Amino acid sequence: MDRCRRDTDGDRRLLAAHQRPGPAPEPPGQARTTAGPPGTAHRLVSTLRSLPALGWLVTGLTVSNLAVGLLQAAAPVIIVQQLGHSTADVGFTWSVAAIASLVAVALCRRAIDRFGLWPVGALSASIAATACLAVSFAGTYGTYLTLIAVLMAGEGGMTIVLRTLRSRLIPADTFGATLSLTILLLLLPFPLAGVLVATVPPAQLGHVITLCAAVQALGLFAAFARLRTTPGLRASFA
């Protein structure tokens, strides 16, 4: 009898567990959402608007990337069609340029510690802009190779300076998301450079390169001038 009673009590508890009411249904119009924090994109745009110096920095890097992307896309046309060299020389050119950029990065890291961001950044930007302006006038492969190497060396040093400033400008609470947004913006000039090379006749590429080089020089000058007068970065440029 006791065993039967225990079995009966167990059946009652099991039945009660199955009959427990579930959570109340949500009222219409109040569906549960699993989306992330609202306003993330708006907060990123607000960060860029609230930090004009960061906008100038991104502008300087963007116009510089446009010039470099244009030269990379136009290299086969210039080296093969205009200078009469092989496609292997195209790869060799950018291999030499990559080595020059790495050497410049290593040297600029030490130079920044000794002379500061502003002298190194201004010198690197001047070298890059001058070499880019001269590329369209290169009449021989040797001259073209040298100018591309000098250009990428200047770009390497300038990029170190501007990326250092970018890390100091972006607020800590939105650093990751804002950095991702700036990287996305800096990648946009490369497909644009490809479109320019595809649509512009080869005979006119020199004029387009000169125009982009002028825009690069003006953009870098404006960016560095604006960054140098930013109160929070004056000590960085010392």
Side-chain angles (χ1 to χ4, degrees), residues 8 19 31 37 64 66 68 115 121 123 131 155 159 182 199 206 220 228 232 235:
T8 303
Q19 292 179 347
S64 183
L66 177 61
V68 173
F115 302 107
L123 178 61
E155 283 283 333
T159 301
T182 59
T199 56
L220 290 176
R228 196 182 186 189

Side-chain angles (χ1 to χ4, degrees), residues 40-59 62 166 169-171 174-175 177-186 226:
T40 301
H42 176 72
R43 186 167 64 251
L44 295 179
V45 175
S46 299
T47 300
L48 292 176
R49 289 180 177 177
S50 63
L51 294 173
L54 181 60
W56 279 105
L57 187 148
V58 172
T59 300
T62 300
R166 182 177 62 183
L169 281 172
I170 299 177
T174 60
F175 183 83
T178 305
L179 181 62
S180 300
L181 179 61
T182 59
I183 291 174
L184 179 62
L185 293 175
L186 296 181
R226 182 64 179 84

Side-chain angles (χ1 to χ4, degrees), residues 100-160:
S101 179
L102 292 175
V103 172
V105 167
L107 293 177
C108 284
R109 290 184 184 276
R110 297 181 181 181
I112 289 172
D113 295 335
R114 183 173 181 179
F115 302 107
L117 284 172
W118 170 247
V120 176
L123 178 61
S124 298
S126 300
I127 291 174
T130 303
C132 190
L133 281 168
V135 162
S136 58
F137 301 101
T140 64
Y141 174 72
T143 304
Y144 181 85
L145 173 65
T146 302
L147 289 174
I148 291 294
V150 172
L151 166 65
M152 294 310 296
E155 283 283 333
M158 183 186 63
T159 301
I160 289 295

